[in-house]
mmCIF file of all heavy atoms in Angstrom:
data_model
loop_
_atom_site.group_PDB
_atom_site.id
_atom_site.type_symbol
_atom_site.label_atom_id
_atom_site.label_comp_id
_atom_site.label_asym_id
_atom_site.label_seq_id
_atom_site.Cartn_x
_atom_site.Cartn_y
_atom_site.Cartn_z
ATOM 1 N N ARG X 1 4.202 -15.673 -6.193
ATOM 2 C CA ARG X 1 3.190 -14.933 -6.963
ATOM 3 C C ARG X 1 3.824 -13.771 -7.719
ATOM 4 O O ARG X 1 3.479 -13.514 -8.881
ATOM 5 C CB ARG X 1 2.094 -14.415 -6.022
ATOM 6 C CG ARG X 1 0.887 -13.881 -6.748
ATOM 7 C CD ARG X 1 0.165 -15.005 -7.447
ATOM 8 N NE ARG X 1 -0.977 -14.517 -8.193
ATOM 9 C CZ ARG X 1 -1.564 -15.191 -9.146
ATOM 10 N NH1 ARG X 1 -1.140 -16.397 -9.459
ATOM 11 N NH2 ARG X 1 -2.591 -14.697 -9.782
ATOM 12 N N ALA X 2 4.736 -13.056 -7.084
ATOM 13 C CA ALA X 2 5.410 -11.929 -7.743
ATOM 14 C C ALA X 2 6.180 -12.405 -8.972
ATOM 15 O O ALA X 2 6.189 -11.735 -10.007
ATOM 16 C CB ALA X 2 6.350 -11.231 -6.760
ATOM 17 N N LYS X 3 6.801 -13.606 -8.874
ATOM 18 C CA LYS X 3 7.538 -14.159 -10.021
ATOM 19 C C LYS X 3 6.581 -14.612 -11.118
ATOM 20 O O LYS X 3 6.811 -14.354 -12.309
ATOM 21 C CB LYS X 3 8.419 -15.328 -9.575
ATOM 22 C CG LYS X 3 9.646 -14.900 -8.817
ATOM 23 C CD LYS X 3 10.490 -16.088 -8.396
ATOM 24 C CE LYS X 3 11.697 -15.624 -7.594
ATOM 25 N NZ LYS X 3 12.454 -16.741 -7.033
ATOM 26 N N GLU X 4 5.504 -15.297 -10.732
ATOM 27 C CA GLU X 4 4.526 -15.780 -11.715
ATOM 28 C C GLU X 4 3.930 -14.640 -12.531
ATOM 29 O O GLU X 4 3.739 -14.757 -13.735
ATOM 30 C CB GLU X 4 3.371 -16.506 -11.008
ATOM 31 C CG GLU X 4 3.709 -17.870 -10.469
ATOM 32 C CD GLU X 4 2.588 -18.453 -9.601
ATOM 33 O OE1 GLU X 4 1.588 -17.766 -9.333
ATOM 34 O OE2 GLU X 4 2.751 -19.607 -9.186
ATOM 35 N N LYS X 5 3.631 -13.530 -11.858
ATOM 36 C CA LYS X 5 2.991 -12.393 -12.527
ATOM 37 C C LYS X 5 4.005 -11.383 -13.057
ATOM 38 O O LYS X 5 3.624 -10.400 -13.681
ATOM 39 C CB LYS X 5 2.029 -11.679 -11.567
ATOM 40 C CG LYS X 5 0.867 -12.534 -11.088
ATOM 41 C CD LYS X 5 0.016 -13.082 -12.220
ATOM 42 C CE LYS X 5 -0.754 -12.028 -12.942
ATOM 43 N NZ LYS X 5 -1.649 -12.582 -13.984
ATOM 44 N N SER X 6 5.295 -11.604 -12.806
ATOM 45 C CA SER X 6 6.359 -10.672 -13.211
ATOM 46 C C SER X 6 6.052 -9.247 -12.734
ATOM 47 O O SER X 6 6.065 -8.294 -13.519
ATOM 48 C CB SER X 6 6.546 -10.686 -14.740
ATOM 49 O OG SER X 6 6.906 -11.967 -15.173
ATOM 50 N N TYR X 7 5.771 -9.131 -11.438
ATOM 51 C CA TYR X 7 5.465 -7.807 -10.889
ATOM 52 C C TYR X 7 6.594 -6.828 -11.177
ATOM 53 O O TYR X 7 7.744 -7.088 -10.820
ATOM 54 C CB TYR X 7 5.258 -7.886 -9.383
ATOM 55 C CG TYR X 7 3.917 -8.411 -8.928
ATOM 56 C CD1 TYR X 7 3.741 -8.817 -7.620
ATOM 57 C CD2 TYR X 7 2.823 -8.482 -9.787
ATOM 58 C CE1 TYR X 7 2.510 -9.288 -7.171
ATOM 59 C CE2 TYR X 7 1.600 -8.950 -9.358
ATOM 60 C CZ TYR X 7 1.445 -9.354 -8.047
ATOM 61 O OH TYR X 7 0.233 -9.816 -7.610
ATOM 62 N N PRO X 8 6.284 -5.687 -11.788
ATOM 63 C CA PRO X 8 7.319 -4.690 -12.053
ATOM 64 C C PRO X 8 7.513 -3.736 -10.876
ATOM 65 O O PRO X 8 8.338 -2.829 -10.941
ATOM 66 C CB PRO X 8 6.756 -3.943 -13.269
ATOM 67 C CG PRO X 8 5.272 -4.023 -13.098
ATOM 68 C CD PRO X 8 5.006 -5.354 -12.438
ATOM 69 N N PHE X 9 6.722 -3.916 -9.810
ATOM 70 C CA PHE X 9 6.775 -3.038 -8.645
ATOM 71 C C PHE X 9 7.112 -3.863 -7.404
ATOM 72 O O PHE X 9 7.040 -5.092 -7.421
ATOM 73 C CB PHE X 9 5.443 -2.308 -8.435
ATOM 74 C CG PHE X 9 4.247 -3.050 -8.954
ATOM 75 C CD1 PHE X 9 3.866 -4.287 -8.434
ATOM 76 C CD2 PHE X 9 3.502 -2.533 -9.996
ATOM 77 C CE1 PHE X 9 2.774 -4.972 -8.925
ATOM 78 C CE2 PHE X 9 2.399 -3.211 -10.503
ATOM 79 C CZ PHE X 9 2.038 -4.430 -9.964
ATOM 80 N N ALA X 10 7.452 -3.180 -6.329
ATOM 81 C CA ALA X 10 7.754 -3.848 -5.065
ATOM 82 C C ALA X 10 6.487 -4.506 -4.516
ATOM 83 O O ALA X 10 5.377 -3.989 -4.673
ATOM 84 C CB ALA X 10 8.301 -2.830 -4.064
ATOM 85 N N TYR X 11 6.668 -5.661 -3.874
ATOM 86 C CA TYR X 11 5.569 -6.374 -3.217
ATOM 87 C C TYR X 11 5.977 -6.502 -1.757
ATOM 88 O O TYR X 11 6.881 -7.278 -1.417
ATOM 89 C CB TYR X 11 5.367 -7.735 -3.879
ATOM 90 C CG TYR X 11 4.097 -8.473 -3.491
ATOM 91 C CD1 TYR X 11 3.006 -7.822 -2.917
ATOM 92 C CD2 TYR X 11 3.988 -9.839 -3.711
ATOM 93 C CE1 TYR X 11 1.855 -8.513 -2.581
ATOM 94 C CE2 TYR X 11 2.833 -10.537 -3.394
ATOM 95 C CZ TYR X 11 1.776 -9.870 -2.813
ATOM 96 O OH TYR X 11 0.627 -10.560 -2.482
ATOM 97 N N LEU X 12 5.329 -5.728 -0.899
ATOM 98 C CA LEU X 12 5.753 -5.559 0.481
ATOM 99 C C LEU X 12 4.907 -6.376 1.448
ATOM 100 O O LEU X 12 3.691 -6.496 1.271
ATOM 101 C CB LEU X 12 5.685 -4.085 0.879
ATOM 102 C CG LEU X 12 6.342 -3.088 -0.084
ATOM 103 C CD1 LEU X 12 6.183 -1.664 0.434
ATOM 104 C CD2 LEU X 12 7.810 -3.423 -0.304
ATOM 105 N N SER X 13 5.549 -6.892 2.485
ATOM 106 C CA SER X 13 4.866 -7.675 3.512
ATOM 107 C C SER X 13 4.577 -6.799 4.737
ATOM 108 O O SER X 13 5.477 -6.165 5.287
ATOM 109 C CB SER X 13 5.750 -8.860 3.930
ATOM 110 O OG SER X 13 5.149 -9.563 4.995
ATOM 111 N N ASP X 14 3.307 -6.789 5.148
ATOM 112 C CA ASP X 14 2.845 -6.009 6.307
ATOM 113 C C ASP X 14 2.031 -6.922 7.222
ATOM 114 O O ASP X 14 0.894 -6.633 7.569
ATOM 115 C CB ASP X 14 2.002 -4.815 5.817
ATOM 116 C CG ASP X 14 1.484 -3.926 6.936
ATOM 117 O OD1 ASP X 14 2.174 -3.773 7.961
ATOM 118 O OD2 ASP X 14 0.372 -3.384 6.787
ATOM 119 N N LYS X 15 2.624 -8.064 7.602
ATOM 120 C CA LYS X 15 1.849 -9.097 8.292
ATOM 121 C C LYS X 15 1.338 -8.684 9.670
ATOM 122 O O LYS X 15 0.403 -9.283 10.178
ATOM 123 C CB LYS X 15 2.630 -10.406 8.371
ATOM 124 C CG LYS X 15 3.929 -10.339 9.119
ATOM 125 C CD LYS X 15 4.675 -11.650 8.988
ATOM 126 C CE LYS X 15 6.057 -11.558 9.601
ATOM 127 N NZ LYS X 15 6.834 -12.755 9.343
ATOM 128 N N ASP X 16 1.900 -7.630 10.266
ATOM 129 C CA ASP X 16 1.351 -7.152 11.549
ATOM 130 C C ASP X 16 0.328 -6.027 11.344
ATOM 131 O O ASP X 16 -0.183 -5.470 12.304
ATOM 132 C CB ASP X 16 2.464 -6.712 12.502
ATOM 133 C CG ASP X 16 3.209 -5.472 12.030
ATOM 134 O OD1 ASP X 16 2.906 -4.942 10.932
ATOM 135 O OD2 ASP X 16 4.110 -5.015 12.763
ATOM 136 N N GLN X 17 0.044 -5.705 10.101
ATOM 137 C CA GLN X 17 -0.937 -4.681 9.706
ATOM 138 C C GLN X 17 -0.595 -3.282 10.205
ATOM 139 O O GLN X 17 -1.458 -2.406 10.258
ATOM 140 C CB GLN X 17 -2.368 -5.029 10.157
ATOM 141 C CG GLN X 17 -2.978 -6.222 9.486
ATOM 142 C CD GLN X 17 -2.696 -7.487 10.251
ATOM 143 O OE1 GLN X 17 -2.841 -7.531 11.459
ATOM 144 N NE2 GLN X 17 -2.301 -8.523 9.554
ATOM 145 N N SER X 18 0.648 -3.007 10.564
ATOM 146 C CA SER X 18 0.999 -1.681 11.073
ATOM 147 C C SER X 18 0.798 -0.598 10.013
ATOM 148 O O SER X 18 0.304 0.488 10.315
ATOM 149 C CB SER X 18 2.444 -1.662 11.588
ATOM 150 O OG SER X 18 3.346 -2.011 10.552
ATOM 151 N N VAL X 19 1.160 -0.895 8.773
ATOM 152 C CA VAL X 19 0.992 0.103 7.711
ATOM 153 C C VAL X 19 -0.469 0.165 7.267
ATOM 154 O O VAL X 19 -0.992 1.246 7.007
ATOM 155 C CB VAL X 19 1.946 -0.183 6.527
ATOM 156 C CG1 VAL X 19 1.701 0.765 5.376
ATOM 157 C CG2 VAL X 19 3.393 -0.068 7.008
ATOM 158 N N ALA X 20 -1.153 -0.966 7.214
ATOM 159 C CA ALA X 20 -2.584 -0.962 6.885
ATOM 160 C C ALA X 20 -3.354 -0.085 7.877
ATOM 161 O O ALA X 20 -4.241 0.685 7.484
ATOM 162 C CB ALA X 20 -3.137 -2.378 6.876
ATOM 163 N N LYS X 21 -2.992 -0.168 9.155
ATOM 164 C CA LYS X 21 -3.646 0.658 10.176
ATOM 165 C C LYS X 21 -3.313 2.128 9.978
ATOM 166 O O LYS X 21 -4.159 2.999 10.172
ATOM 167 C CB LYS X 21 -3.245 0.186 11.573
ATOM 168 C CG LYS X 21 -3.843 -1.154 11.933
ATOM 169 C CD LYS X 21 -3.294 -1.696 13.240
ATOM 170 C CE LYS X 21 -3.804 -3.105 13.472
ATOM 171 N NZ LYS X 21 -3.103 -3.801 14.548
ATOM 172 N N LEU X 22 -2.084 2.406 9.598
ATOM 173 C CA LEU X 22 -1.660 3.780 9.328
ATOM 174 C C LEU X 22 -2.529 4.414 8.238
ATOM 175 O O LEU X 22 -2.927 5.569 8.332
ATOM 176 C CB LEU X 22 -0.191 3.762 8.906
ATOM 177 C CG LEU X 22 0.583 5.057 8.800
ATOM 178 C CD1 LEU X 22 0.719 5.727 10.155
ATOM 179 C CD2 LEU X 22 1.960 4.772 8.216
ATOM 180 N N PHE X 23 -2.837 3.626 7.227
ATOM 181 C CA PHE X 23 -3.658 4.101 6.109
ATOM 182 C C PHE X 23 -5.152 3.971 6.381
ATOM 183 O O PHE X 23 -5.959 4.500 5.625
ATOM 184 C CB PHE X 23 -3.327 3.307 4.847
ATOM 185 C CG PHE X 23 -2.097 3.751 4.125
ATOM 186 C CD1 PHE X 23 -0.834 3.401 4.579
ATOM 187 C CD2 PHE X 23 -2.191 4.505 2.965
ATOM 188 C CE1 PHE X 23 0.304 3.803 3.902
ATOM 189 C CE2 PHE X 23 -1.065 4.909 2.278
ATOM 190 C CZ PHE X 23 0.192 4.555 2.753
ATOM 191 N N ASP X 24 -5.522 3.219 7.391
ATOM 192 C CA ASP X 24 -6.910 2.856 7.659
ATOM 193 C C ASP X 24 -7.474 2.002 6.513
ATOM 194 O O ASP X 24 -8.636 2.116 6.139
ATOM 195 C CB ASP X 24 -7.784 4.096 7.895
ATOM 196 C CG ASP X 24 -9.092 3.754 8.605
ATOM 197 O OD1 ASP X 24 -9.140 2.719 9.296
ATOM 198 O OD2 ASP X 24 -10.075 4.495 8.435
ATOM 199 N N ALA X 25 -6.610 1.147 5.961
ATOM 200 C CA ALA X 25 -7.034 0.218 4.914
ATOM 201 C C ALA X 25 -7.821 -0.915 5.553
ATOM 202 O O ALA X 25 -7.471 -1.385 6.636
ATOM 203 C CB ALA X 25 -5.818 -0.336 4.169
ATOM 204 N N ARG X 26 -8.877 -1.359 4.874
ATOM 205 C CA ARG X 26 -9.736 -2.417 5.426
ATOM 206 C C ARG X 26 -9.866 -3.624 4.509
ATOM 207 O O ARG X 26 -10.238 -4.692 4.946
ATOM 208 C CB ARG X 26 -11.133 -1.861 5.666
ATOM 209 C CG ARG X 26 -11.154 -0.540 6.367
ATOM 210 C CD ARG X 26 -11.681 -0.621 7.699
ATOM 211 N NE ARG X 26 -11.445 0.672 8.343
ATOM 212 C CZ ARG X 26 -11.869 0.952 9.512
ATOM 213 N NH1 ARG X 26 -12.531 0.070 10.180
ATOM 214 N NH2 ARG X 26 -11.628 2.112 10.051
ATOM 215 N N LYS X 27 -9.615 -3.409 3.216
ATOM 216 C CA LYS X 27 -9.880 -4.480 2.254
ATOM 217 C C LYS X 27 -8.704 -4.699 1.321
ATOM 218 O O LYS X 27 -7.821 -3.858 1.187
ATOM 219 C CB LYS X 27 -11.121 -4.136 1.424
ATOM 220 C CG LYS X 27 -12.385 -4.129 2.245
ATOM 221 C CD LYS X 27 -13.605 -4.158 1.363
ATOM 222 C CE LYS X 27 -14.840 -4.305 2.226
ATOM 223 N NZ LYS X 27 -16.050 -4.284 1.440
ATOM 224 N N THR X 28 -8.753 -5.859 0.655
ATOM 225 C CA THR X 28 -7.849 -6.111 -0.465
ATOM 226 C C THR X 28 -8.728 -6.468 -1.660
ATOM 227 O O THR X 28 -9.627 -7.299 -1.516
ATOM 228 C CB THR X 28 -6.871 -7.268 -0.156
ATOM 229 O OG1 THR X 28 -7.591 -8.476 0.100
ATOM 230 C CG2 THR X 28 -5.994 -6.933 1.032
ATOM 231 N N PRO X 29 -8.557 -5.783 -2.788
ATOM 232 C CA PRO X 29 -7.646 -4.667 -2.997
ATOM 233 C C PRO X 29 -8.259 -3.333 -2.540
ATOM 234 O O PRO X 29 -9.467 -3.146 -2.625
ATOM 235 C CB PRO X 29 -7.461 -4.666 -4.518
ATOM 236 C CG PRO X 29 -8.772 -5.160 -5.056
ATOM 237 C CD PRO X 29 -9.267 -6.161 -4.036
ATOM 238 N N GLU X 30 -7.407 -2.465 -2.045
ATOM 239 C CA GLU X 30 -7.786 -1.085 -1.717
ATOM 240 C C GLU X 30 -6.624 -0.190 -2.123
ATOM 241 O O GLU X 30 -5.484 -0.434 -1.722
ATOM 242 C CB GLU X 30 -8.109 -0.936 -0.238
ATOM 243 C CG GLU X 30 -8.651 0.430 0.119
ATOM 244 C CD GLU X 30 -9.242 0.511 1.523
ATOM 245 O OE1 GLU X 30 -9.311 -0.530 2.216
ATOM 246 O OE2 GLU X 30 -9.634 1.624 1.922
ATOM 247 N N ALA X 31 -6.925 0.823 -2.925
ATOM 248 C CA ALA X 31 -5.884 1.669 -3.517
ATOM 249 C C ALA X 31 -5.827 3.043 -2.856
ATOM 250 O O ALA X 31 -6.850 3.565 -2.403
ATOM 251 C CB ALA X 31 -6.145 1.834 -5.019
ATOM 252 N N PHE X 32 -4.640 3.599 -2.853
ATOM 253 C CA PHE X 32 -4.389 4.943 -2.330
ATOM 254 C C PHE X 32 -3.470 5.676 -3.292
ATOM 255 O O PHE X 32 -2.568 5.073 -3.866
ATOM 256 C CB PHE X 32 -3.694 4.877 -0.966
ATOM 257 C CG PHE X 32 -4.539 4.275 0.121
ATOM 258 C CD1 PHE X 32 -4.682 2.893 0.214
ATOM 259 C CD2 PHE X 32 -5.183 5.072 1.046
ATOM 260 C CE1 PHE X 32 -5.462 2.325 1.214
ATOM 261 C CE2 PHE X 32 -5.969 4.509 2.047
ATOM 262 C CZ PHE X 32 -6.107 3.134 2.125
ATOM 263 N N ILE X 33 -3.707 6.974 -3.432
ATOM 264 C CA ILE X 33 -2.755 7.838 -4.137
ATOM 265 C C ILE X 33 -2.219 8.825 -3.111
ATOM 266 O O ILE X 33 -2.988 9.477 -2.396
ATOM 267 C CB ILE X 33 -3.402 8.594 -5.309
ATOM 268 C CG1 ILE X 33 -3.931 7.625 -6.353
ATOM 269 C CG2 ILE X 33 -2.387 9.562 -5.941
ATOM 270 C CD1 ILE X 33 -4.726 8.284 -7.467
ATOM 271 N N LEU X 34 -0.897 8.921 -3.064
ATOM 272 C CA LEU X 34 -0.226 9.841 -2.152
ATOM 273 C C LEU X 34 0.455 10.942 -2.960
ATOM 274 O O LEU X 34 1.065 10.667 -3.999
ATOM 275 C CB LEU X 34 0.834 9.112 -1.333
ATOM 276 C CG LEU X 34 0.402 7.843 -0.601
ATOM 277 C CD1 LEU X 34 1.598 7.232 0.116
ATOM 278 C CD2 LEU X 34 -0.702 8.138 0.378
ATOM 279 N N ARG X 35 0.353 12.166 -2.452
ATOM 280 C CA ARG X 35 1.075 13.295 -3.050
ATOM 281 C C ARG X 35 2.114 13.760 -2.036
ATOM 282 O O ARG X 35 1.778 14.079 -0.899
ATOM 283 C CB ARG X 35 0.118 14.439 -3.370
ATOM 284 C CG ARG X 35 0.858 15.698 -3.844
ATOM 285 C CD ARG X 35 -0.093 16.841 -4.085
ATOM 286 N NE ARG X 35 -0.688 16.665 -5.403
ATOM 287 C CZ ARG X 35 -1.921 17.054 -5.714
ATOM 288 N NH1 ARG X 35 -2.707 17.593 -4.821
ATOM 289 N NH2 ARG X 35 -2.374 16.884 -6.939
ATOM 290 N N PRO X 36 3.395 13.794 -2.436
ATOM 291 C CA PRO X 36 4.429 14.248 -1.504
ATOM 292 C C PRO X 36 4.233 15.711 -1.108
ATOM 293 O O PRO X 36 3.768 16.528 -1.908
ATOM 294 C CB PRO X 36 5.725 14.091 -2.308
ATOM 295 C CG PRO X 36 5.398 13.154 -3.416
ATOM 296 C CD PRO X 36 3.952 13.368 -3.724
ATOM 297 N N HIS X 37 4.552 16.017 0.144
ATOM 298 C CA HIS X 37 4.606 17.408 0.618
ATOM 299 C C HIS X 37 5.766 17.514 1.600
ATOM 300 O O HIS X 37 6.470 16.527 1.847
ATOM 301 C CB HIS X 37 3.268 17.850 1.230
ATOM 302 C CG HIS X 37 2.889 17.143 2.487
ATOM 303 N ND1 HIS X 37 3.284 17.557 3.743
ATOM 304 C CD2 HIS X 37 2.152 16.016 2.693
ATOM 305 C CE1 HIS X 37 2.795 16.740 4.665
ATOM 306 N NE2 HIS X 37 2.113 15.788 4.058
ATOM 307 N N SER X 38 6.003 18.668 2.146
ATOM 308 C CA SER X 38 7.217 18.912 2.936
ATOM 309 C C SER X 38 7.366 17.981 4.136
ATOM 310 O O SER X 38 8.475 17.622 4.504
ATOM 311 C CB SER X 38 7.260 20.365 3.399
ATOM 312 O OG SER X 38 6.110 20.657 4.183
ATOM 313 N N ALA X 39 6.259 17.587 4.765
ATOM 314 C CA ALA X 39 6.348 16.761 5.976
ATOM 315 C C ALA X 39 5.975 15.304 5.742
ATOM 316 O O ALA X 39 5.804 14.547 6.692
ATOM 317 C CB ALA X 39 5.459 17.355 7.067
ATOM 318 N N GLY X 40 5.834 14.896 4.517
ATOM 319 C CA GLY X 40 5.463 13.510 4.237
ATOM 320 C C GLY X 40 4.634 13.395 2.974
ATOM 321 O O GLY X 40 5.024 13.874 1.916
ATOM 322 N N PHE X 41 3.456 12.773 3.107
ATOM 323 C CA PHE X 41 2.591 12.516 1.957
ATOM 324 C C PHE X 41 1.132 12.734 2.367
ATOM 325 O O PHE X 41 0.716 12.281 3.427
ATOM 326 C CB PHE X 41 2.738 11.069 1.477
ATOM 327 C CG PHE X 41 4.115 10.719 0.990
ATOM 328 C CD1 PHE X 41 5.131 10.409 1.881
ATOM 329 C CD2 PHE X 41 4.408 10.704 -0.367
ATOM 330 C CE1 PHE X 41 6.408 10.077 1.450
ATOM 331 C CE2 PHE X 41 5.680 10.375 -0.821
ATOM 332 C CZ PHE X 41 6.670 10.066 0.089
ATOM 333 N N HIS X 42 0.374 13.403 1.508
ATOM 334 C CA HIS X 42 -1.071 13.514 1.699
ATOM 335 C C HIS X 42 -1.757 12.395 0.923
ATOM 336 O O HIS X 42 -1.385 12.119 -0.222
ATOM 337 C CB HIS X 42 -1.618 14.837 1.150
ATOM 338 C CG HIS X 42 -1.289 16.027 1.978
ATOM 339 N ND1 HIS X 42 -1.564 16.133 3.313
ATOM 340 C CD2 HIS X 42 -0.701 17.199 1.633
ATOM 341 C CE1 HIS X 42 -1.164 17.301 3.762
ATOM 342 N NE2 HIS X 42 -0.623 17.965 2.766
ATOM 343 N N ILE X 43 -2.760 11.775 1.529
ATOM 344 C CA ILE X 43 -3.611 10.850 0.783
ATOM 345 C C ILE X 43 -4.612 11.695 0.006
ATOM 346 O O ILE X 43 -5.377 12.455 0.593
ATOM 347 C CB ILE X 43 -4.350 9.876 1.721
ATOM 348 C CG1 ILE X 43 -3.363 8.970 2.447
ATOM 349 C CG2 ILE X 43 -5.359 9.037 0.925
ATOM 350 C CD1 ILE X 43 -3.990 8.039 3.470
ATOM 351 N N VAL X 44 -4.593 11.571 -1.319
ATOM 352 C CA VAL X 44 -5.523 12.352 -2.146
ATOM 353 C C VAL X 44 -6.619 11.482 -2.758
ATOM 354 O O VAL X 44 -7.584 12.002 -3.312
ATOM 355 C CB VAL X 44 -4.789 13.158 -3.240
ATOM 356 C CG1 VAL X 44 -3.861 14.198 -2.619
ATOM 357 C CG2 VAL X 44 -4.012 12.251 -4.188
#
């Protein structure tokens, strides 16, 4: 799919949902904007 659509960005696999749980993501598609800060990133 990444090749067919010529994705210009990384396409990451999270098949154990560890990162989805970190974000509390529930759906696809669901978008987040992160702002960097000294200890990581804030979800804005």
Side-chain angles (χ1 to χ4, degrees):
R1 191 68 182 162
K3 286 180 182 173
E4 286 172 355
K5 297 302 292 184
S6 299
Y7 282 165
F9 28 63
Y11 191 19
L12 311 179
S13 175
D14 181 33
K15 61 186 174 187
D16 67 358
Q17 293 91 46
S18 59
V19 175
K21 290 172 186 168
L22 191 65
F23 279 78
D24 198 24
R26 313 249 171 176
K27 293 195 174 178
T28 60
E30 186 168 356
F32 294 79
I33 298 173
L34 308 178
R35 173 183 279 148
H37 66 88
S38 59
F41 297 80
H42 286 306
I43 296 176
V44 296

